[in-house]
Every structure is written in structure tokens, then in C-alpha cells.
Amino acid sequence: SKRAYFQRFPTLFAPLYGDASRETTRQQLNDNMWALEQNLELGPLQTPFRCVVIKLKDDTLWVHAPLAPTEEFFELVESCSDGPVAHVVIPTYALEHKVFAKDALTRWPHARLWTAPGQFSF
């Protein structure tokens, strides 16, 4: 399934670890900006988790807070431009915003990683 992925690191949200599935939705905000969302489950609660994708002047993509690494997510991002993903931004040290950074950089190995100060790694 294009919505399947493997949670590599233990987290505080479902799934804690292992095989999982998430639907990704995309909304176009203007000609060069999109919001992609997946639901984040915290026990009985669900909240939307958002990634913003911006097409830059050189047609490359800037991906802010990548989501769970489903094929559906990657394809929705890549369909925003004919150019490659050039920048991946991890905006905060919060686990839910950084746990998918390695997967994003594996998919887009030539992208530059931008992080907020105070990051820790796994």
C-alpha cells in the first residue's frame, strides 16, 4: 500500500514502533505552496500533523517538517514541481517534527538539511 511505512524509532504516538499506515492529504495554498497533512494519534486523540511544501524560483522544493515516509506522501511532495527536493527543514526539537528526517533524506539524498538550534540526534 502507498500508505504503509515502518516506524524506525520509538515514539510517543501511534505506532510506537513498527509497521504502520497513514493517509496523506494535500491542499494547495497558492501557486507555489501546499499543505500536506497526516493524522497523529496520541492515545484516543487524533490531531493533524502538517508539512508545508514551497516551490522556489528555481523550481526546486523546500519541505518543512516532513511527514511519515509513505510512498503517498513522497509522491504528493514530488508532484508539486518538476524540480527536485532541495531543502528539508526540521523546525523544532520536538520528536514528532524530527523523527522522519532520516527517511526524507534517504528519499532525497541531495537535499540540504536545515535544523532548529538545540537539536539532538538518535
Side-chain angles (χ1 to χ4, degrees), residues 10 90 92-99 101 115-122:
I90 308 303
T92 177
Y93 61 84
L95 183 61
E96 64 271 18
H97 287 287
K98 65 188 281 178
V99 71
T115 63
Q119 290 286 348
F120 60 91
S121 63
F122 299 101

Side-chain angles (χ1 to χ4, degrees), residues 1-7 14-15 18-26 37-39 41 67-76 100 107:
S1 164
K2 289 189 175 199
R3 295 180 176 169
Y5 72 100
F6 186 82
Q7 180 69 44
D19 292 321
S21 179
R22 286 201 191 168
E23 177 183 8
T24 306
T25 60
R26 182 178 69 184
E37 291 186 351
Q38 295 175 344
N39 278 342
E41 296 178 31
L67 301 177
T70 66
E71 188 61 28
E72 181 178 56
F73 167 71
F74 289 135
E75 288 177 1
L76 286 170
F100 304 123
R107 176 68 174 229

Side-chain angles (χ1 to χ4, degrees), residues 37-77:
E37 291 186 351
Q38 295 175 344
N39 278 342
L40 185 68
E41 296 178 31
L42 300 165
L45 305 174
Q46 287 194 22
T47 186
F49 187 46
R50 178 174 284 179
C51 168
V52 175
V53 176
I54 298 175
K55 184 167 97 172
L56 303 175
K57 289 181 181 182
D58 64 358
D59 286 335
T60 63
L61 295 173
W62 181 87
V63 179
H64 183 268
L67 301 177
T70 66
E71 188 61 28
E72 181 178 56
F73 167 71
F74 289 135
E75 288 177 1
L76 286 170
V77 169

